[in-house]
Amino acid sequence: MSELRRRPLRRWATAAGTAVTATAVLASLSLAGGADTAQAAAGGEIRVNQVGYPGGAAKEAFLLVKAPVAKASWKLVDGRGRVVAHGATGASLGRWNSAYPAVYAIDFSKVRRSGSYRLVAGGAANASSPTFTIGSAKSVYGGPAADATAFFQAQRDGAATVPGQLRRKPSHLNDAHATVYAWPSFTDPDGDTIKAAPKKIVGTGPVDVSGGWFDAGDYLKFTETTSYAVAALQIAARDTGAGPSSAVGREARHGLDWLDKMWDEKTKTLYIQVGLGSGTDSGSVVGDHDVWRLPEKDDKDTAHPFLKNRPVFRAGAPGAKLSPNQAGRLAADFALAAQRYAAVSPAKARAYLSTAAQIYALADTRPGTLVTTVPYGYYPETSWQDDMAFGGAELALAAQRLHDPRGTNWLKQAATWAKGHQSEDGADTLNMYDTSALADLDLARAVRAADGPHGLAVGYDGLIGYVKGQLATGEKRAKADPFHAGAVYDDFDADSHTMGLAATARLYRAVTGDRTYDRFAAGQLGWLLGANAWGTSFMVGEGHTFPTCTAGELGNLAGSLDGSRPLEVGAIVNGPNGAEQFSDGLGDYLDGMRPCPPGDTDAYAAFDGRGSRYVDDVRSWQSSEPALDMDASGLLAFFLSK
């Protein structure tokens, strides 16, 4: 992913080894802090899923040691101090870094009794884990699922904000009558600094683009990322039976309502972005990334006209063909809504289906460079047949529920695009850039429901086989990694990919009944929530140790300076990234940014390894910035796991 994607901004975290509960931190978060390195001095660290383990799931922890050992003993101790399981480590899973040359697995999957526990290692490698729970899947992952939903509530823009932990206020009310501008020119094709102020498109607008969600630590809004998030929320709601009035159902509707504004059905115009990223080098034009502030300040900012009255950029002229990545995902969003409302409001469902069909029919399936954002480098997507397969699959499912005869044709189109994606450049596992897992699994459902029509480019077995191949790729990586990580953590979006793999495994099991990848999925959830080299959860508020210096304006600026700063609970950050991304340092604090952590400390430096680095610092956008697509993947995984 391009470095443009994550601008230098935002956020707040707990240091490695600090046993602090989320409740305590939320009640009163002091600026004082730092890593507790006592365990490291004793010879080892135990890394666990700090949120906990479902009783029936695989349960794995990792012993990270400063010197290889022939055998280390371990015991699982319950809340009353009783040893309920014990064992010894086997062969090392591999070297992590020069300070920690060996990692050993601790498997206690046989323990199923609900309760509070901790792991203790003895002998050559003395260490103790934070306390964690074993319980039902709902009790373990219900909290993270709810907090991921709360993150989306915190990102709301417009009049319908939810105060929450960040004490949000209505913002960008001027977006209700926004002006449409032509795309600006940039001084560098790989940058986002503009040459001059964008020019108003005469005779267009104003348009109502109020509402929606902020994107990634700043206040821009994109159809590119929102369309992925809305799809994830709706699938989570649909597949768990959460109705339109549930918290996740309401949040999905909030995002969908904004997408409905960004698509002008009458003129067939798609708007793709609200807000200007960076301004000019001279400062004559100031954009979103140039000023550090709370969003409610913008409506009265007379000094910066493009912050007070934010520009809107469209994908193309009215009635023009649409970039197929955008068309496919947007069609999927509205078709998913049609499915969800089919039983409770058939008229509304048919209206959603009509919108989805209109957008899908306008897809330009012979594109050049895809249309994503302004500039394209913020989200340089290259694959699109997966999105077209996704849109067609959801249209087919919606048609089946509404008894619409067009369903067979959409089924055939979706199968053609799914087959095409299987050889498309840029194929990946589930994340915002590759939705093929969502597409193929729902298309497989549609094929099965239609009793397998003949003549499809790819059938049920081919669709399932492709998704199984993605899971096998992740599982292969995990088996070769000391902490069984299935994602690539020395590149961008490690956490989005991690949770995408977990969600894919759950969806795969729901469609096929095959539990082959259950253990792999449990491991990916564990890695994100603390069973990693750094010993931190990468989700704010979850576990004993989690990010507190997130690279986001909301999390950094909300609250007061008296130490009672709230946290951006539920935010999932990028996590580890390639060490080369930090080669120029973290840079200076921007004007208005609150320094965090105190003293420029790096609590996790000792645990960086294998070409990766994790930094919890408000300036470390490379690893600590929260984003819609990170949380979308996470929300889907948690809802499907509980």
Side-chain angles (χ1 to χ4, degrees):
M1 168 154 313
S2 167
E3 294 181 22
L4 275 178
R5 150 123 192 204
R6 305 295 179 223
R7 296 285 299 172
L9 299 175
R10 0 322 157 183
R11 119 136 175 246
W12 265 76
T14 28
T18 307
V20 182
T21 65
T23 302
V25 174
L26 289 173
S28 177
L29 181 67
S30 171
L31 289 179
D36 179 359
T37 58
Q39 288 186 354
E45 306 276 354
I46 295 180
R47 304 311 198 194
V48 298
N49 180 336
Q50 296 176 14
V51 169
Y53 301 82
K59 303 172 189 68
E60 189 172 49
F62 300 92
L63 174 62
L64 181 66
V65 294
K66 288 194 169 185
V69 295
K71 185 177 290 188
S73 61
W74 61 267
K75 56 186 178 181
L76 182 67
V77 182
D78 69 11
R80 297 174 63 180
R82 299 174 300 184
V83 176
V84 299
H86 60 88
T89 58
S92 171
L93 297 175
R95 174 187 176 89
W96 180 249
N97 62 19
S98 59
Y100 293 93
V103 181
Y104 301 93
I106 298 174
D107 192 309
F108 53 103
S109 299
K110 292 182 180 180
V111 179
R112 303 171 70 95
R113 186 180 182 87
S114 296
S116 178
Y117 299 89
R118 65 189 177 93
L119 279 164
V120 179
N126 296 316
S128 181
S129 78
T131 301
F132 57 88
T133 63
I134 295 176
S136 68
K138 184 176 182 179
S139 68
V140 172
Y141 290 125
D147 285 347
T149 307
F151 168 80
F152 280 94
Q153 293 173 335
Q155 301 307 302
R156 283 192 182 193
D157 196 19
T161 52
V162 177
Q165 292 287 341
L166 299 182
R167 308 166 192 173
R168 287 295 320 285
K169 297 178 181 178
S171 57
H172 299 126
L173 302 183
N174 290 344
D175 285 353
H177 45 83
T179 300
V180 182
Y181 286 82
W183 292 18
S185 296
F186 299 94
T187 58
D188 184 332
D190 295 323
D192 70 339
T193 301
I194 61 175
K195 294 179 179 179
K199 295 182 179 180
K200 177 182 176 181
I201 297 179
V202 178
T204 302
V207 294
D208 181 2
V209 291
S210 59
W213 298 306
F214 301 135
D215 172 58
D218 47 42
Y219 305 132
L220 300 178
K221 300 185 293 192
F222 302 120
T223 59
E224 173 79 6
T225 50
T226 299
S227 62
Y228 175 70
V230 168
L233 266 66
Q234 291 197 101
I235 291 172
R238 182 197 66 185
D239 287 12
T240 58
S245 62
S246 65
V248 68
R250 291 194 304 272
E251 210 52 37
R253 176 66 183 270
H254 178 81
L256 187 70
D257 285 348
W258 184 75
L259 290 176
D260 202 21
K261 292 179 177 181
M262 297 296 280
W263 171 246
D264 187 330
E265 192 164 355
K266 292 182 179 179
T267 64
K268 297 182 175 61
T269 305
L270 176 63
Y271 301 103
I272 59 168
Q273 180 171 326
V274 181
L276 178 67
S278 292
T280 57
D281 274 330
S282 67
S284 60
V285 178
V286 171
D288 187 274
H289 295 151
D290 302 319
V291 179
W292 195 262
R293 79 283 182 202
L294 287 171
E296 59 266 24
K297 304 292 185 182
D298 287 353
D299 281 321
K300 297 180 180 179
D301 188 351
T302 57
H304 305 115
F306 284 105
L307 297 183
K308 180 179 181 180
N309 296 298
R310 304 199 296 173
V312 180
F313 302 109
R314 66 189 188 187
K321 287 285 189 177
L322 302 175
S323 189
N325 56 318
Q326 297 267 14
R329 278 204 302 273
L330 286 168
D333 290 327
F334 288 104
L336 280 162
Q339 295 169 39
R340 295 179 55 239
Y341 282 92
V344 297
S345 180
K348 181 179 290 187
R350 283 190 289 272
Y352 280 134
L353 182 61
S354 177
T355 299
Q358 182 190 49
I359 293 171
Y360 197 65
L362 284 170
D364 181 0
T365 57
R366 291 188 293 179
T369 300
L370 300 178
V371 174
T372 59
T373 53
V374 183
Y376 168 76
Y378 284 153
Y379 291 100
E381 184 175 18
T382 57
S383 69
W384 57 273
Q385 293 189 71
D386 56 320
D387 296 314
M388 289 297 292
F390 188 24
E394 303 309 339
L395 279 162
L397 284 174
Q400 289 172 352
R401 295 196 182 193
L402 293 168
H403 307 290
D404 190 304
R406 294 174 291 178
T408 300
N409 187 44
W410 285 323
L411 197 65
K412 291 179 179 178
Q413 291 182 57
T416 298
W417 297 126
K419 181 65 174 178
H421 175 70
Q422 292 183 4
S423 58
E424 187 177 25
D425 290 341
D428 198 356
T429 57
L430 179 59
N431 70 105
M432 185 190 70
Y433 293 120
D434 191 325
T435 57
S436 60
L438 303 180
D440 288 4
L441 290 169
D442 268 2
L443 183 54
R445 295 185 198 215
V447 170
R448 186 169 57 192
D451 197 21
H454 299 291
L456 296 179
V458 61
Y460 179 89
D461 290 342
L463 294 164
I464 295 301
Y466 187 74
V467 175
K468 191 172 182 178
Q470 291 185 345
L471 291 170
T473 295
E475 188 177 55
K476 182 178 179 180
R477 289 196 198 109
K479 288 179 178 179
D481 184 77
F483 292 92
H484 291 169
V488 178
Y489 47 74
D490 58 356
D491 198 1
F492 280 96
D493 298 347
D495 288 346
S496 178
H497 281 81
T498 297
M499 299 310 274
L501 286 165
T504 299
R506 299 307 188 200
L507 288 166
Y508 170 83
R509 187 181 77 184
V511 174
T512 66
D514 182 2
R515 305 182 71 97
T516 298
Y517 297 101
D518 281 7
R519 183 181 184 90
F520 170 67
Q524 301 318 294
L525 294 171
W527 186 88
L528 185 115
L529 295 171
N532 54 64
W534 297 270
T536 178
S537 162
F538 296 123
M539 185 176 185
V540 177
E542 310 305 327
H544 292 255
T545 304
F546 50 80
T548 54
C549 294
T550 53
E553 293 180 70
L554 287 176
N556 182 251
L557 298 179
S560 63
L561 289 172
D562 62 2
S564 61
R565 184 175 300 171
L567 290 169
E568 200 166 0
V569 171
I572 296 175
V573 300
N574 182 80
N577 207 328
E580 73 280 357
Q581 294 293 334
F582 303 88
S583 59
D584 294 331
L586 300 181
D588 296 327
Y589 290 102
L590 302 181
D591 289 343
M593 183 185 284
R594 291 177 173 178
C596 182
D600 291 342
T601 56
D602 184 352
Y604 297 98
F607 305 109
D608 293 333
R610 294 207 167 197
S612 66
R613 185 180 178 191
Y614 173 69
V615 184
D616 184 31
D617 189 296
V618 68
R619 299 163 295 172
S620 64
W621 59 275
Q622 304 93 324
S623 64
S624 67
E625 186 176 55
L628 285 185
D629 57 307
M630 302 290 175
D631 258 79
S633 297
L635 181 145
L636 184 58
F638 287 128
F639 267 89
L640 297 175
S641 298
K642 68 176 185 169

